[in-house]
DNA sequence: TTATCTGTTATAGGTAACCTATATCAGATA
DNA sequence: TATCTGATATAGGTTACCTATAACAGATAA
């Protein structure tokens, strides 16, 4: 399963779903234009209420990551990052980055080590990693 | 004032205090061994309840960032990053980094741009930036 | 000693977040 | 027709978050 959640996590379920979808897009596992499962279907697979999935999808829509139509359902936007609220995104994002990197520094990770891990994560993006025969919950079909 | 919070933010107040303290340590504005304001004092300065500050300090203590004694109050640990829960810190931290960097990628920031901002943030750490005469809420005194 | 500040703990209450449970409606589809 | 879908409404329960008040004990200064 390409999308897993942790019911015991302190992170809200809808936030976990949102994070996994964003990561899947960055990884290339979710191509632009591809459809996400229906809210009821994904809720059934995750054994949660469909309103929780609906909240996650609505968050992704408000962030400009996906489009939601009654016909085609939830679809990854082809021009994600071009929404109206994207103007000041970089600044707000870098503020959160600053907090996260500060945390690593305080916990003893050297600046070089931190930068190395940043590069490692970035390099991991863009490559499709679904093995042949693996069930892909997030793809069409 | 070196520590400001936004009461209208969706980020909990205690989380904002925690974030600002961590950033101040990374910036070098809060040296190891220096004391934080008392919970009641900081609460009064921020015009919030002292229990909220107490929650922020307790979070920093559980994260191994500060020590709290009845005598010296809250003090920045000299060996922050050496706590018992620091073993698996790097992995958990990188997972959060992955989510954050994926978000930037999805919103159109190129991989080079993302890496450049990571370096920019890291380079900003370590330099003391308190101007002469500036009131420093987080220092001794 | 007295007064004050500190950290610590306890209790209580209000608002909001989060998740679930049902139900209904209408458009699309097999 | 039957089914799936997105969208919306209501309701209830649990927990997070913040505030308010009180009390206790250790440390410190007048």
């Amino acid at each position: 399963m390409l999308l897993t959640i942790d019911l015991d996590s302190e992170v809200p379920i809808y936030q976990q779903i949102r994070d996994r979808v964003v990561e899947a897009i960055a990884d290339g596992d979710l191509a632009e234009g591809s459809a996400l499962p229906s809210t009821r279907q994904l809720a059934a697979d995750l054994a949660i209420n469909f309103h929780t999935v609906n909240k996650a999808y609505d968050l992704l829509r408000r962030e400009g990551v996906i489009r939601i139509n009654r016909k085609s359902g939830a679809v990854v936007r082809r021009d994600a990052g071009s929404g109206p609220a994207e103007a000041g995104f970089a600044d707000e994002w870098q503020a959160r980055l600053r907090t996260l990197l500060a945390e690593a520094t305080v916990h003893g990770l050297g600046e070089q080590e931190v930068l190395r891990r940043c590069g490692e994560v970035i390099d991991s993006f863009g490559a499709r990693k679904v093995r042949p025969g693996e069930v892909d919950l997030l793809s069409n079909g």
Side-chain angles (χ1 to χ4, degrees), chain A:
Chain A
M1 166 141 46
L2 200 65
L3 198 162
T4 57
I5 60 174
D6 178 13
L7 295 177
D8 296 328
S9 170
E10 294 182 358
V11 181
I13 298 175
Y14 78 94
Q15 184 74 44
Q16 293 184 49
I17 296 174
R18 176 267 183 194
D19 290 346
R20 294 302 87 75
V21 170
V22 170
E23 290 167 11
I25 296 174
D27 287 337
D29 295 338
L30 253 181
E32 298 183 345
S34 62
L36 274 64
S38 72
T39 56
R40 285 178 172 84
Q41 182 61 50
L42 184 54
D45 291 336
L46 298 177
I48 59 177
N49 192 276
F50 82 94
H51 279 113
T52 305
V53 179
N54 206 331
K55 184 167 184 175
Y57 281 12
D58 186 65
L59 176 58
L60 286 165
R61 181 190 58 79
R62 285 186 284 110
E63 290 179 340
V65 177
I66 65 176
R67 292 184 183 280
I68 302 179
N69 302 320
R70 195 181 297 267
K71 297 186 60 171
S72 46
V75 176
V76 179
R77 279 185 57 172
R78 297 187 183 279
D79 54 352
S82 307
E86 301 298 319
F89 169 80
D91 289 342
E92 182 270 346
W93 176 84
Q94 188 163 334
R96 279 184 287 149
L97 175 69
R98 179 177 171 78
T99 302
L100 189 65
L101 298 189
E103 182 176 344
T105 298
V106 170
H107 281 76
L109 271 69
E111 301 189 351
Q112 291 182 356
E113 173 71 7
V114 170
L115 199 54
R116 187 191 66 78
R117 289 175 181 264
C118 290
E120 181 180 323
V121 169
I122 293 176
D123 289 340
S124 73
F125 292 152
R128 226 190 137 65
K129 293 180 296 298
V130 179
R131 301 176 190 83
E134 183 177 4
V135 176
D136 188 347
L137 257 183
L138 292 178
S139 291
N140 300 326

